[in-house]
């Protein structure tokens, strides 16, 4: 557990908290650390107090991506949480197990369903990791290695040891993993378009009453100092009337990378409610003949990585969920992936 120094706060009278980082929290990103410490606080507010410099590590400013080390002293500013939110945050997540693709003493790989967030925050009380922890109270450690969007299904890695977490996150950061998704996009994707190498930048939509709106991502220019290089490889897996099934391999793991890259080429993902074609989505949702497509067609299909203990190369595959298979069958897919 993290040692709390001089912490004295409640929903009515918040106060500054000082936390020492122990071995269990070492290696975490600052934003993830704060999400767990500030339960019930909206994710947008967490990022706001980081950007403003109110959160300090060893008395210095830090970014959301800063990795914590053993012995770091973290300052948490006073944060007010309504009694309703605080009460809701105090309620434990319902325990839930998910389909397991691989599990040993170091890690587990699960097949995450669509519609479930990987963690709580941003209007979501709990996600996969909170439900797993509740279902496995005896587990010493369960931490997300990486993330998937709430509406994306497929392979998700969870570390069961701190050493495994660091090793696997290093592999993701150094681009030593292989991540391939299946995505159904609008229109006839040109077979020659195999590489998208366009930088991405985050921005905020206008909010209400002076508050920040939702976070979004867009393609930017190479001259943009805030742009982050993003690389996506695309292979046509099958063609449907008015749509194309793609195998999409990402070399960088930027937020919403696949969704924005594919949409930027004029081929948005079916069912994408943030970057998609809303009229097309409506038609897919209510087709003349069932079944319709009632979710985003993006699935984390294959994942390769080196085992953090044995260094053996692991190759996992999560087959398409039943609802996506049913839609492809309905849409008369000509060449489904093997």
């Amino acid at each position: 557990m993290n040692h709390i120094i001089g912490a004295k706060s409640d929903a009515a009278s918040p106060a500054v908290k000082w936390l020492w980082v122990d071995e269990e929290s070492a290696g975490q990103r600052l934003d993830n650390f704060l999400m767990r410490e500030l339960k019930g606080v909206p994710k947008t507010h967490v990022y706001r107090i980081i950007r403003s410099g109110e959160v300090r590590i060893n008395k210095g400013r830090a970014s959301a991506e800063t990795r914590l080390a053993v012995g770091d002293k973290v300052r948490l500013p006073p944060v007010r949480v309504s009694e309703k939110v605080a009460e809701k945050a105090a309620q434990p997540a319902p325990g839930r197990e998910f389909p397991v693709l691989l599990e040993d003493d170091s890690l587990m790989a699960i097949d995450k369903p669509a519609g479930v967030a990987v963690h709580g925050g941003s209007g979501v009380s709990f996600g996969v990791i909170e439900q797993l922890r509740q279902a496995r109270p005896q587990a010493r450690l369960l931490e997300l290695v990486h993330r998937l969007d709430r509406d994306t299904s497929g392979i998700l890695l969870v570390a069961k040891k701190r050493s495994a977490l660091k090793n696997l996150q290093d592999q993701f950061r150094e681009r030593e993993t292989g991540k391939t998704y299946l995505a159904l996009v609008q229109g006839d994707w040109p077979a020659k378009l195999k590489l998208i190498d366009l930088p991405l930048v985050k921005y905020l939509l206008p909010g209400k009453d002076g508050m920040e709106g939702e976070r979004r991502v867009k393609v930017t220019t190479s001259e943009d100092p805030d742009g982050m290089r993003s690389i996506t490889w695309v292979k046509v897996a099958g063609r449907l009337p008015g749509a194309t099934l793609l195998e999409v391999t990402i070399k960088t793991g930027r937020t919403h990378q696949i969704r924005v890259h594919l949409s930027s080429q004029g081929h948005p993902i079916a069912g994408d409610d943030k970057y998609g074609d809303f009229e097309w989505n409506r038609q897919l949702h209510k087709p003349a003949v069932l079944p319709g497509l009632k979710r985003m067609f993006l699935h984390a299909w294959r994942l390769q990585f080196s085992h953090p203990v044995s260094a053996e190369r692991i190759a996992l595959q999560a087959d398409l969920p039943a609802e996506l298979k049913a839609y492809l069958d309905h849409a008369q897919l000509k060449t489904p992936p093997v």
Side-chain angles (χ1 to χ4, degrees):
M1 294 292 292
N2 304 304
H3 301 290
I4 302 179
I5 307 169
K8 193 176 183 182
S9 69
D10 55 40
S13 57
V16 170
K17 287 184 180 181
W18 293 92
L19 300 177
W20 288 111
V21 177
D22 61 13
E23 291 185 359
E24 287 300 300
S25 296
Q28 286 191 66
R29 285 169 49 121
L30 177 60
D31 52 358
N32 293 336
F33 176 79
L34 293 182
M35 299 298 179
R36 297 193 64 180
E37 293 297 331
L38 300 175
K39 294 185 184 301
V41 176
K43 186 185 294 186
T44 54
H45 188 69
V46 171
Y47 283 106
R48 187 182 304 129
I49 61 176
I50 294 174
R51 289 195 300 270
S52 70
E54 295 176 80
V55 176
R56 299 268 172 161
I57 298 179
N58 304 326
K59 298 184 178 180
R61 293 180 68 125
S63 67
E65 296 81 14
T66 299
R67 299 276 173 179
L68 299 174
V70 174
D72 280 348
K73 186 179 178 182
V74 181
R75 177 192 186 273
L76 303 186
V79 177
R80 289 189 178 275
V81 181
S82 69
E83 291 183 8
K84 182 178 180 181
V85 172
E87 181 181 344
K88 187 175 181 181
Q91 296 173 354
R96 180 180 178 182
E97 292 282 356
F98 298 87
V100 175
L101 302 171
L102 171 71
E103 183 172 8
D104 58 25
D105 292 340
S106 300
L107 61 90
M108 62 187 299
I110 65 171
D111 189 355
K112 185 189 87 67
V116 182
V118 294
H119 58 68
S122 201
V124 179
S125 300
F126 56 83
V128 169
I129 197 65
E130 290 86 2
Q131 291 182 290
L132 275 177
R133 288 170 182 156
Q134 192 67 20
R136 300 183 175 209
Q138 75 285 358
R140 290 189 59 190
L141 176 79
L142 291 172
E143 292 284 358
L144 293 167
V145 174
H146 60 115
R147 302 179 187 183
L148 291 178
D149 290 344
R150 185 190 311 182
D151 296 324
T152 301
S153 55
I155 304 172
L156 181 67
L157 286 186
V158 176
K160 298 169 68 175
K161 290 183 177 179
R162 182 65 56 188
S163 57
L165 177 65
K166 184 178 185 307
N167 179 286
L168 291 167
Q169 287 182 334
D170 287 345
Q171 290 186 51
F172 275 84
R173 189 163 47 251
E174 299 300 323
R175 305 178 188 177
E176 296 171 353
T177 59
K179 294 176 288 184
T180 301
Y181 294 68
L182 291 176
L184 184 70
V185 299
Q186 185 179 31
D188 194 15
W189 185 274
K192 292 182 180 179
L193 181 52
K194 299 178 180 180
L195 172 65
I196 304 173
D197 186 354
L198 295 171
L200 298 175
V201 64
K202 296 179 181 179
Y203 67 100
L204 293 172
L205 293 174
K208 295 181 179 179
D209 302 323
M211 300 294 289
E212 292 181 349
E214 288 188 51
R215 189 174 297 273
R216 289 286 192 274
V217 179
K218 63 182 178 181
V219 167
T220 187
T221 64
S222 56
E223 290 77 26
D224 188 338
D226 296 322
M228 302 187 72
R229 189 180 185 191
S230 306
I231 302 171
T232 302
W233 290 93
V234 182
K235 176 184 176 183
V236 173
R239 297 191 184 276
L240 292 73
T244 310
L245 183 67
L246 302 176
E247 294 179 20
V248 184
T249 301
I250 54 175
K251 294 300 182 182
T252 52
R254 311 300 184 202
T255 300
H256 297 171
Q257 176 178 327
I258 295 176
R259 300 164 69 174
V260 176
H261 265 178
L262 299 185
S263 181
S264 74
Q265 303 304 302
H267 299 277
I269 295 177
D272 189 341
D273 63 359
K274 287 185 171 65
Y275 308 99
D277 182 316
F278 305 123
E279 176 58 28
W280 187 50
N281 290 345
R282 188 185 65 79
Q283 295 173 10
L284 297 176
H285 189 78
K286 297 180 179 180
V289 181
L290 294 178
L293 184 64
K294 297 177 172 59
R295 53 158 290 194
M296 180 171 66
F297 201 123
L298 182 60
H299 177 69
W301 180 40
R302 288 177 171 172
L303 177 65
Q304 295 184 17
F305 61 94
S306 297
H307 193 279
V309 176
S310 67
E312 176 189 359
R313 195 66 175 169
I314 305 293
L316 300 176
Q317 178 171 317
D319 293 336
L320 277 175
E323 69 273 14
L324 297 187
K325 288 180 180 177
Y327 182 77
L328 288 186
D329 290 342
H330 164 62
Q332 301 177 339
L333 179 66
K334 299 176 182 178
T335 55
V338 178

